[in-house]
């Protein structure tokens, strides 16, 4: 997760890549929480920071993680409009 976050931060103008990295890291719950926090705090693109915060918050703002080895539920996947 840390390597993915570093890649997204190094290519801060590539918003599509940043959003894809957030989704990939979110699927690594709970191991990806530190990397999501890093992206939420430091990524230059607002929509990537927002997506990382939403991934940290979980569905409807409720924190929690699926049991290890289980995929991220569809309602936890991140979708953000960058308007």
């Amino acid at each position: 997760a840390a390597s993915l976050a570093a890649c997204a931060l190094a290519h801060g103008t590539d918003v599509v890549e940043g959003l894809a990295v957030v989704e990939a890291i979110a699927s690594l719950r709970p191991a990806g929480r530190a990397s999501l926090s890093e992206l939420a705090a430091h990524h230059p693109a607002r929509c990537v920071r927002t997506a990382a915060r939403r991934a940290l918050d979980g569905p409807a703002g409720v924190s929690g993680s699926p049991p290890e080895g289980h995929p991220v539920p569809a309602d936890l996947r991140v979708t953000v409009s960058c308007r």
Side-chain angles (χ1 to χ4, degrees), residues 1-79:
S3 295
L4 286 172
C7 181
L9 290 168
H11 301 100
T13 59
D14 191 341
V15 175
V16 174
E17 176 185 90
L19 292 173
V21 166
V22 168
E23 186 170 352
I25 293 173
S27 72
L28 301 175
R29 285 182 149 318
R33 290 192 64 80
S35 295
L36 286 172
S37 294
E38 183 74 14
L39 290 173
H42 300 292
H43 197 280
R46 181 178 54 156
C47 62
V48 175
R49 291 191 310 270
T50 300
R53 278 189 220 107
R54 288 182 180 172
L56 283 167
D57 289 343
V62 176
S63 296
S65 302
E68 279 199 42
H70 291 273
V72 175
D75 63 340
L76 186 59
R77 294 206 178 109
V78 178
T79 55

